[in-house]
Amino acid sequence: MKTLGIDVGSSSVKVSLLDVATGECAGAVTLPSAEMPIDAPQPGWAEQDPRMWWNYVREGVRTLVARAGGAGTVKAIGITYQMHGLVCLDEAGEPLRKSIIWCDSRAVEIGDRAFDALGRDRCLERLLNSPGNFTASKLAWVRENEPEVFAGVHRFMLPGDYVLYRLTGEMSTTRSGLSEQILWDFTENKPAGFVAGYYGIDPRTIPQAHPSIGIQARVDAAAAADLGLEAGTPVSYRAGDQPNNAFSLNVLDPGEVAATGGTSGVVYGVTDVPRPDRFSRVNTFLHVNHEPRRPRYGVLLCINGTGILNAWVKKTTVPDMSYPEVNRRCAEIPVGSEGVLMLPFGNGAERMLGNRYTGAEAIGLDLNRHDRFHLLRAAQEGIAFAFRYGMDVMRETGLRLRVIRAGYANLFLSPVFRQTLATLCGADIELYNTDGALGAARGAALGAGLYASREETFASLRKIDEVRPDPADRDVLERGYARWKAELENRLGRASHGTSV
């Protein structure tokens, strides 16, 4: 008996097969072999074609269903996806335009206007966030700039909702999904009609919302025949990539914290008290296991420019070198990169910087002392500095960071990065044998009743490694971080005074 987990990222689509009895991964496919393209028609924009995601989902599901033994073996499906994207569908279910994805910053000004017009205190009390550059604001951008597209919208949805639609024919979302679109009223515990009204969004275009865990729809006959699945197979779990990453790591209760270091970097902590950040540098959403009588909120710090910087520097300086070799060579450079600093913020406006865009930058290069591996180590340390900067913001909201759980993947495969982060943050880092797609497959098993409890769901989750802060490196890293923070805040100060950065 198997379940499928589908993870639609901005770089790739991964599909994993979970053996329910053993809790082990029974197969995984990542597509394409190179990263998926992101279109940027203008600076700060980022778009992808939803049909591209679906084509890779189809290929991955077909491969794993055949490997599992064909129709009937897969008993449930879970979906996780890149958060905050906007997919606009017409009445026939066809995309009206490319998806405006998470790292697109075109709607920042629209969200800022809405924050003032709706009232800052009202937004923070009822939405726990500013409208910001989230999905609802992106749809408002379409309304203002592409009225012919907006007029044709039958339903708008998130990337994972589109995948569910292609599997089942149902246009729906989740309550957690509405909160990440900034369309959930935490006070009234229902869709935020006052936001939709301000933006001119017809309530009929907002899909029905389900809980994240539980049967939401079933694979229809057409998709079953196309993919080799059995018609009626339930889709029983759906969550954005960061709530799902936390679920994957068994981070479900207050005080538990998860992190990830893919294209973007995220720290996600769970609390039972809704406490907004007045500057919206971090954001609060409904967690996957939220219930009105047992509230669970996810406090999310997102840094757009993390793994994408590491990948860019590698591709630019050592394109033929493997990541393990890069990590080995980085470890040969002294802690602190001998004075080289890197700001990683080159992937759109950064929420924790007040939705400002500084760009990525290398600082302190000495052409007689430094080489490409100084740049590579400085990139990883600069990403860790950005995490520390954001975690200090999270501490201001009352979230405690003692132990950070992460999957053994992406940036957390680098000993330099994970040791730097642990030492800077004064927290142990625990690494586990899971990833987003496998977590979605576990969620599907729980949502379909194939696992009876949380304990059974995570019985097979194994800790692979643990990293503790290194007191010997603390002083060097703290001095480097102080310089890094001063450079960043100097640029932010120039930006606030209208100077280009």
Side-chain angles (χ1 to χ4, degrees):
M1 187 163 59
K2 308 291 194 301
T3 59
L4 273 176
I6 299 168
D7 182 357
V8 179
S10 49
S11 298
S12 63
V13 169
K14 184 171 185 179
V15 184
S16 289
L17 197 62
L18 177 75
D19 185 305
V20 175
T22 66
E24 298 293 331
C25 180
V29 177
T30 300
L31 298 164
S33 56
E35 292 187 355
M36 290 191 295
I38 296 176
D39 298 327
Q42 294 190 34
W45 291 20
E47 301 181 348
Q48 288 182 321
D49 189 338
R51 288 165 291 207
M52 175 181 67
W53 305 331
W54 176 245
N55 287 336
Y56 289 127
V57 168
R58 289 174 71 221
E59 186 177 345
V61 171
R62 285 172 171 174
T63 299
L64 289 187
V65 168
R67 191 179 300 176
T73 307
V74 174
K75 298 300 182 183
I77 299 170
I79 300 169
T80 184
Y81 56 89
Q82 48 174 299
M83 295 174 72
H84 312 306
L86 171 68
V87 179
C88 297
L89 299 185
D90 65 17
E91 197 164 358
E94 291 297 323
L96 287 161
R97 69 172 330 280
K98 289 182 178 179
S99 173
I100 303 174
I101 66 171
W102 61 277
C103 55
D104 185 292
S105 54
R106 75 184 72 181
V108 169
E109 184 180 345
I110 288 172
D112 289 345
R113 291 201 308 262
F115 200 20
D116 289 331
L118 292 170
R120 290 174 173 253
D121 290 341
R122 183 188 191 193
C123 287
L124 292 175
E125 177 186 354
R126 297 178 65 175
L127 304 174
L128 300 185
N129 301 284
S130 76
N133 187 42
F134 296 106
T135 313
S137 298
K138 290 170 180 171
L139 184 59
W141 182 92
V142 173
R143 179 173 180 261
E144 289 185 15
N145 294 275
E146 299 175 349
E148 70 289 350
V149 172
F150 185 81
V153 173
H154 175 66
R155 293 285 187 277
F156 68 93
M157 55 185 58
L158 297 161
D161 304 336
Y162 176 73
V163 173
L164 179 128
Y165 165 67
R166 295 300 302 261
L167 285 167
T168 69
E170 178 177 307
M171 296 182 183
S172 70
T173 190
T174 63
R175 294 166 192 165
S176 178
L178 284 180
S179 75
E180 74 176 78
Q181 297 178 72
I182 315 300
L183 284 170
W184 186 258
D185 189 327
F186 287 79
T187 303
E188 300 291 334
N189 201 38
K190 66 180 184 180
F194 72 98
V195 177
Y198 171 80
Y199 276 150
I201 298 170
D202 186 337
R204 292 173 296 183
T205 63
I206 302 174
Q208 176 188 4
H210 298 288
S212 294
I213 303 172
I215 296 175
Q216 302 166 23
R218 295 182 182 273
V219 174
D220 63 23
D226 184 28
L227 302 175
L229 294 165
E230 192 171 69
T233 301
V235 178
S236 48
Y237 175 85
R238 190 174 10 159
D241 52 8
Q242 301 314 323
N244 175 70
N245 182 61
F247 175 86
S248 304
L249 294 161
N250 196 16
V251 171
L252 294 170
D253 284 332
E256 298 174 344
V257 176
T260 184
T263 303
S264 64
V266 171
V267 179
Y268 186 100
V270 178
T271 181
D272 56 0
V273 178
R275 184 184 298 172
D277 171 35
R278 294 195 62 80
F279 302 102
S280 292
R281 296 163 297 177
V282 297
N283 301 100
T284 302
F285 307 114
L286 295 178
H287 196 29
V288 295
N289 60 333
H290 172 83
E291 299 174 9
R293 295 181 181 178
R294 191 171 176 269
R296 294 292 183 267
Y297 307 100
V299 181
L300 187 152
L301 160 73
C302 181
I303 310 165
N304 291 354
T306 54
I308 192 170
L309 173 70
N310 192 49
W312 185 90
V313 177
K314 175 194 173 299
K315 180 174 63 176
T316 304
T317 62
V318 286
D320 299 325
M321 187 175 288
S322 69
Y323 277 104
E325 178 65 10
V326 167
N327 293 335
R328 187 185 70 77
R329 295 296 299 272
C330 283
E332 296 173 355
I333 301 297
V335 174
S337 304
E338 296 190 307
V340 182
L341 299 174
M342 289 197 77
L343 299 178
F345 308 117
N347 191 31
E350 291 285 355
R351 216 170 305 156
M352 75 170 182
L353 304 182
N355 278 326
R356 283 175 284 183
Y357 178 75
T358 68
E361 186 174 350
I363 302 160
L365 278 175
D366 184 325
L367 302 180
N368 297 309
R369 296 177 59 224
H370 300 137
D371 62 22
R372 55 191 174 175
F373 296 106
H374 286 85
L375 284 174
L376 284 157
R377 178 163 188 134
Q380 294 193 14
E381 289 183 342
I383 294 164
F385 291 156
F387 269 82
R388 161 69 182 273
Y389 189 88
M391 287 182 187
D392 286 348
V393 172
M394 296 181 81
R395 288 187 175 99
E396 292 175 19
T397 71
L399 196 70
R400 295 185 177 182
L401 297 166
R402 292 186 297 271
V403 177
I404 301 168
R405 296 178 189 165
Y408 191 62
N410 300 318
L411 278 169
F412 285 95
L413 292 171
S414 167
V416 166
F417 171 75
R418 61 193 190 226
Q419 185 63 69
T420 303
L421 182 63
T423 302
L424 274 171
C425 296
D428 293 351
I429 296 176
E430 297 177 350
L431 301 171
Y432 289 86
N433 64 327
T434 191
D435 61 20
L438 196 60
R442 280 198 173 96
L446 178 62
L450 305 178
Y451 288 139
S453 65
R454 174 181 177 179
E455 291 71 24
E456 189 176 347
T457 303
F458 296 102
S460 61
L461 189 65
R462 294 195 310 276
K463 184 162 64 174
I464 296 173
D465 198 3
E466 185 169 0
V467 183
R468 299 179 185 277
D470 187 344
D473 294 342
R474 180 176 297 280
D475 287 348
V476 172
L477 288 174
E478 286 291 344
R479 288 196 299 270
Y481 175 66
R483 288 180 52 229
W484 181 94
K485 184 178 178 182
E487 293 283 357
L488 172 64
E489 292 185 344
N490 177 53
R491 283 152 182 76
L492 293 175
R494 284 159 50 194
S496 68
H497 289 89
T499 305
S500 176
V501 295

